[in-house]
Amino acid sequence: MDFTDGRLVFRPGDDGYDAETAGFQTGFAQQPEIVFAASSTDDVVAAVSYAADAGLPVGVQATGHGLPGAAEGGVLISTRRMDSVRVDAAARTVTVGAGVRWGQVVEAAAEHGLAPLNGSAPSVGAVSYTLGGGLGVLAREFGYAADHVRWLDVVTADGTLRHVTAESEPELFWGLLGGGANLGVVTALEIGLVPVARVYGGAIEFDGREVDPAAVLRAYEAWTRTVPDEVTSSVAALVYPDLPQLPPQLRGRYLVTVRVAYTGSEAAGERLVAPLREIGPMVSDSLREMPYTESHTIHSDPDFPHSYYGDSVVVRELDVAAACELFAMTGPAAEKMHVVQINQLGGALAKPAGNAVPYRDAGWLVRVLSPLDGTDLDAVRAVQARAFGLFAGEGRLLNFTFAAGDRTDGLYDAGTRKRLAELKATYDPANLFRRNYNVS
């Protein structure tokens, strides 16, 4: 490492380079020409200016859950040191820096009886998640995280720091929220909080070898037709590998899990979930009232770096027969492990919100994530292509294209894509930022 104009940078071969480029996703290696370890907005401005002068592409990374493919051979801006969190309890807002993780925000907001619209994993970066839309634990009641942003500070390709609001630069504001990191580097944003201090939620697990997964799916889909918008839920299935690192009760087991979050009372929650408990014998039932700081336990996402590849499809109506076929092809008969998750959308997610988050009319999100350790990538891609081919999908969601930014088709409807292309021509005509999609 060295200090370029007083700034911390890393180049290939430097001590610390590998650590700075590593992230939560371990399946794809990055080799940027230079890494700017940003601690301030000035550092970001310097990095973008350097890249523009050198004609190099720019990628941005906070946690590395999704890798910025644009950084290959170019400039990587590491923002993890920009981790300030400031809550304004009276205004019900929080200001977060580019490197902040959701767990920090949840804890800070909880001190005031408030909650952000965070996702299921505390280790995910708050800014990148929000720029991609942000489908969270309370999504059906409150909408996407992007719907609640008040302002953003962004460094555009010309090295200019802009304070962007819906009033000051309405078109750029629209495009940044849902358009991802393709129009600049967001160094901070202010987002609204919601008055939620506790939640009724958890998961019910069924053994997929004892209870027919198709029966779980049919019962779950029917149940979602009866619940209010205050219920956000999903159903997931996976065969756990028989590994000594796992608890004995999970090794080799095929579990089908229904996950629920509800902001109503515990008594009302118990009444709502009663039909789910009647589906069949349960392996476990963690549904309970909990402080919002424990909401991550509803999904219990892995908290350790690992290798994975995943994608998604959004559909207006869930084809239950297709979903059953998906569970069958990724279940115990599959050659490799796959994690399937189906989220009910609708509710507040369907409301127009003045941003570029697409497919508001979708009722469901179908996701498949495949671990890559010791697995042929082409084989995984083939399985996922067959899986998503089962559905008459509208498109895909940016935040669930898990890999290294190599797939761009279907991320936006035609109208949104055209409007983003016009913004790209205005703010980044040289295509400096190329993360995840390219609308030029």
Side-chain angles (χ1 to χ4, degrees):
M1 66 179 181
D2 62 22
F3 289 86
T4 299
D5 296 329
R7 306 183 196 284
L8 180 61
V9 301
F10 297 86
R11 302 177 189 276
D14 287 348
D15 289 340
Y17 175 90
D18 290 342
E20 202 67 33
T21 57
F24 191 84
Q25 162 68 280
T26 63
F28 301 86
Q30 298 186 96
Q31 288 293 321
E33 179 180 295
I34 184 170
V35 182
F36 280 77
S39 298
S40 67
T41 298
D42 286 346
D43 291 343
V44 174
V45 170
V48 171
S49 299
Y50 173 91
D53 290 345
L56 296 174
V58 176
V60 187
Q61 177 173 302
T63 68
H65 278 74
L67 298 183
E72 189 69 22
V75 173
L76 177 67
I77 302 175
S78 172
T79 62
R80 61 186 174 87
R81 295 166 179 80
M82 301 174 68
D83 59 354
S84 64
V85 177
R86 185 174 69 256
V87 173
D88 184 334
R92 290 183 181 173
T93 62
V94 62
T95 303
V96 299
V100 169
R101 300 172 185 236
W102 273 126
Q104 301 169 253
V105 187
V106 170
E107 293 291 339
E111 296 179 11
H112 308 281
L114 301 169
L117 296 179
N118 57 289
S120 58
S123 61
V124 166
V127 168
S128 54
Y129 162 98
T130 302
L131 297 182
L135 180 66
V137 177
L138 306 177
R140 278 177 34 85
E141 182 172 1
F142 297 105
Y144 289 98
D147 301 344
H148 296 261
V149 172
R150 310 291 180 84
W151 56 257
L152 312 94
D153 284 343
V154 59
V155 179
T156 48
D158 58 359
T160 299
L161 174 64
R162 302 171 188 269
H163 184 74
V164 180
T165 69
E167 293 73 34
S168 67
E169 295 190 70
E171 196 66 6
L172 182 57
F173 183 84
W174 173 88
L176 287 169
L177 297 171
N182 205 23
L183 297 170
V185 183
V186 173
T187 59
L189 57 77
E190 182 182 82
I191 193 168
L193 300 171
V194 295
V196 173
R198 38 74 56 202
V199 67
Y200 176 84
I204 296 177
E205 294 182 319
F206 303 93
D207 188 320
R209 293 185 175 91
E210 296 178 0
V211 178
D212 183 3
V216 178
L217 272 168
R218 286 192 292 267
Y220 169 71
E221 191 273 340
W223 175 78
T224 62
R225 295 176 183 271
T226 70
V227 299
D229 292 350
E230 290 78 14
V231 173
T232 301
S233 69
S234 64
V235 60
L238 74 151
V239 180
Y240 284 90
D242 188 6
L243 296 174
Q245 303 96 295
L246 293 174
Q249 68 271 22
L250 293 182
R251 294 177 194 169
R253 201 158 199 175
Y254 179 37
L255 293 182
V256 181
T257 306
V258 178
R259 296 146 169 174
V260 177
Y262 171 58
T263 56
S265 69
E266 181 177 14
E270 287 286 301
R271 290 192 295 271
L272 279 170
V273 303
L276 298 176
R277 288 174 166 150
E278 295 174 357
I279 292 173
M282 296 176 289
V283 173
S284 67
D285 179 351
S286 66
L287 288 164
R288 68 196 188 281
E289 186 169 66
M290 66 180 78
Y292 193 74
T293 50
E294 295 179 10
S295 61
H296 64 279
T297 65
I298 295 171
H299 290 78
S300 296
D301 291 335
D303 60 0
F304 53 88
H306 56 284
S307 172
Y308 48 94
Y309 189 89
D311 214 329
S312 66
V313 63
V314 288
V315 296
R316 293 197 181 188
E317 298 290 338
L318 183 64
D319 182 335
V320 178
C324 292
E325 187 174 347
L326 172 61
F327 272 35
M329 67 177 289
T330 57
E335 293 184 4
K336 303 293 182 181
M337 176 182 174
H338 304 279
V339 182
V340 176
Q341 180 167 312
I342 302 176
N343 294 67
Q344 185 190 16
L345 303 179
L349 296 165
K351 298 176 181 177
N355 56 46
V357 179
Y359 307 121
R360 295 274 179 169
D361 59 348
W364 295 87
L365 169 69
V366 180
R367 300 162 52 188
V368 180
L369 185 147
S370 308
L372 289 180
D373 292 334
T375 302
D376 179 74
L377 180 56
D378 288 339
V380 166
R381 286 175 170 149
V383 170
Q384 293 193 8
R386 292 199 303 274
F388 294 120
L390 296 171
F391 299 89
E394 291 190 78
R396 307 155 58 233
L397 292 188
L398 177 60
N399 278 354
F400 302 108
T401 55
F402 295 122
D406 61 335
R407 291 154 294 162
T408 63
D409 292 344
L411 290 177
Y412 300 95
D413 58 88
T416 301
R417 189 177 180 91
K418 180 177 184 294
R419 194 169 166 185
L420 285 170
E422 293 168 352
L423 274 171
K424 185 73 170 175
T426 299
Y427 289 97
D428 185 18
N431 197 20
L432 205 64
F433 308 105
R434 300 167 190 164
R435 184 176 185 267
N436 283 323
Y437 74 99
N438 182 353
V439 297
S440 60

